[in-house]
Amino acid sequence: TVVRASFGTGFRAPLLTELAFNPSLQVERSVEYDLGAEHRFGNGQMATNGTLNLYRTLIDDAGVQTVAADGSLTFLGNVGQSYYQGAELRADQPLSDGVALRASYGINSAFPTGDPALVNPAAPPMIPGEQFQGIPLHKAQLALDRQAQAHGLSYALTGTYESGNNELNRPAYVVLDASLGMTFGHTDVSLAGTNLTNQFNDRFTLPAAGVSYPIPGGTMPTDAYSLQGAALRVTVTQRY
């Protein structure tokens, strides 16, 4: 078993491009705590490896930005104190020579501790303690992969989950990706498929069609963003 711990402080000065938009931007200062552990359950090649990481970051004068549906910046400013805290759990289970099942799960809680409007009247409306818009509280991934030796077959099948309050302003969703690869002499051939379930393939942003975001006194409409539709890509690499 390996245990790690760290503590640190830091700061982030505004970029010149950010100061051009808002000359009043202040330096962000942070305090960070991290605690992690790794453990191998059992012996031999088929033993399970597990990793757990815990973190907590306090940011003073946290900077927040909002953008319009066309991508233009609508707000950039400091909104007071914010917390980013959570946990990441990962497990790797070998199934046979070269084949492994990998799973990960994360919680990322991010929120302002006070009312940003009291610090910056121009700040977008936020509820103290409410998850920041566009940061999902839960993320998970499950993958089955095989790393081929020499001229063998390689493959991967991956499912990725994001809870609500995601950056797409959509309900919780799962995306499925897959790939195959094979080597023939000096030629590598691979086939990759992305978003095989064709999740949220709307081609364009859907104005005011996203999941509403809680604000003081009610909710705020959001735009629903889209993913690239199901796609297949073939790659051939010839080595000389």
Side-chain angles (χ1 to χ4, degrees):
T1 300
V2 177
V3 177
R4 305 180 306 275
S6 65
F7 165 80
T9 61
F11 74 95
R12 178 186 177 276
L15 301 175
L16 290 177
T17 51
E18 295 173 334
L19 289 172
F21 184 89
N22 181 0
S24 300
L25 273 178
Q26 302 296 312
V27 173
E28 296 180 12
R29 302 186 183 277
S30 62
V31 180
E32 303 177 4
Y33 308 85
D34 292 279
L35 179 64
E38 297 180 23
H39 184 72
R40 185 177 178 86
F41 299 88
N43 300 310
Q45 295 182 345
M46 298 297 109
T48 302
N49 293 300
T51 303
L52 174 64
N53 293 307
L54 307 174
Y55 61 90
R56 182 179 175 91
T57 301
L58 170 64
I59 302 178
D60 281 321
D61 290 322
V64 168
Q65 69 177 34
T66 58
V67 295
D70 62 1
S72 60
L73 195 60
T74 56
F75 172 81
L76 176 62
N78 303 99
V79 296
Q81 191 179 76
S82 299
Y83 270 113
Y84 290 79
Q85 57 191 16
E88 298 173 345
L89 178 64
R90 173 171 177 166
D92 296 330
Q93 176 60 62
L95 301 179
S96 62
D97 187 26
V99 180
L101 184 65
R102 311 182 194 279
S104 64
Y105 170 70
I107 300 175
N108 183 15
S109 178
F111 55 89
T113 59
D115 185 354
L118 298 178
V119 179
N120 188 339
M126 299 181 195
I127 299 174
E130 181 71 31
Q131 185 83 353
F132 281 125
Q133 184 182 6
I135 301 180
L137 183 62
H138 305 280
K139 282 187 176 184
Q141 188 174 84
L142 183 64
L144 176 69
D145 63 59
R146 179 178 190 270
Q147 302 298 322
Q149 301 292 330
H151 301 289
L153 175 69
S154 297
Y155 60 78
L157 180 64
T158 304
T160 303
Y161 165 83
E162 285 199 13
S163 67
N165 200 59
N166 49 68
E167 60 272 17
L168 300 178
N169 295 326
R170 301 278 194 161
Y173 66 93
V174 174
V175 170
L176 185 65
D177 301 319
S179 64
L180 289 170
M182 192 79 177
T183 298
F184 303 91
H186 295 285
T187 305
D188 299 327
V189 180
S190 66
L191 173 65
T194 56
N195 193 12
L196 297 178
T197 54
N198 212 30
Q199 191 70 262
F200 302 140
N201 177 27
D202 296 306
R203 298 190 181 182
F204 303 102
T205 297
L206 305 180
V211 176
S212 297
Y213 181 69
I215 60 174
T219 59
M220 177 181 68
T222 66
D223 297 327
Y225 299 108
S226 303
L227 294 172
Q228 180 181 336
L232 291 175
R233 183 180 70 254
V234 177
T235 303
V236 179
T237 303
Q238 180 63 48
R239 301 187 308 277
Y240 297 96

